[in-house]
Amino acid sequence: MNLTISGHHLDLTPAIREYVQNKLERIKRHFDHVIDISVILSVDKLTEKEKRQKAEINVHIKGKDLHVESIAHDLYAAIDALIDKLDRQVIKHKDQVQNHHSMAKRLPEEFTSASAT
């Protein structure tokens, strides 16, 4: 798995990099067929009072690309929200893949039993 973490208008500290890597362990625990992950952390400075921290992630898994983004006033809160959204998408994709495979196993039995009667 390739992991790329980049920052726009932001200095990536080792603490932020380690925080993102630790949070991504949750995704790997649910679904281990991840090929490539690209994380972009950025700061939008509209005015001094309205600083927005933005976190985006692109995940390339077998058969699908997932894109998630979140915005918050705190970078760590944006990363937490990002990982929560991504986790829901990964679990949904995993369920779809598993249901599809189980349907493929059941379909030939249904067709053979219907043709036998």
Side-chain angles (χ1 to χ4, degrees):
M1 178 193 76
N2 297 327
L3 174 62
T4 306
I5 303 173
S6 61
H8 291 195
H9 305 291
L10 173 73
D11 292 329
L12 285 179
T13 62
I16 292 174
R17 192 176 295 272
E18 183 178 335
Y19 188 76
V20 171
Q21 289 174 348
N22 288 339
K23 290 293 183 172
L24 286 174
E25 290 296 322
R26 190 168 105 188
I27 304 303
K28 293 179 201 171
R29 187 176 37 193
H30 289 295
F31 194 72
D32 57 347
H33 299 291
V34 178
I35 298 169
D36 187 33
I37 298 176
S38 174
V39 180
I40 301 170
L41 306 173
S42 62
V43 177
D44 295 333
K45 295 182 181 179
L46 302 174
T47 63
E48 194 61 33
K49 291 182 180 179
E50 296 182 10
K51 285 187 179 177
R52 288 190 293 182
Q53 314 288 327
K54 184 176 180 181
E56 297 177 59
I57 190 165
N58 291 317
V59 178
H60 179 68
I61 55 179
K62 185 178 177 184
K64 191 166 189 173
D65 290 332
L66 303 174
H67 175 78
V68 180
E69 65 180 45
S70 67
I71 298 172
H73 289 289
D74 181 29
L75 185 60
Y76 289 98
I79 293 170
D80 288 339
L82 177 82
I83 296 299
D84 289 339
K85 290 178 183 180
L86 181 64
D87 194 33
R88 286 192 297 269
Q89 281 193 11
V90 166
I91 290 173
K92 182 179 175 183
H93 175 71
K94 183 179 176 182
D95 289 343
Q96 288 175 349
V97 169
Q98 287 177 345
N99 288 339
H100 178 72
H101 287 299
S102 65
M103 287 296 291
K105 290 178 186 175
R106 277 188 264 145
L107 283 178
E109 295 172 7
E110 293 173 2
F111 286 126
T112 58
S113 63
S115 62
T117 56

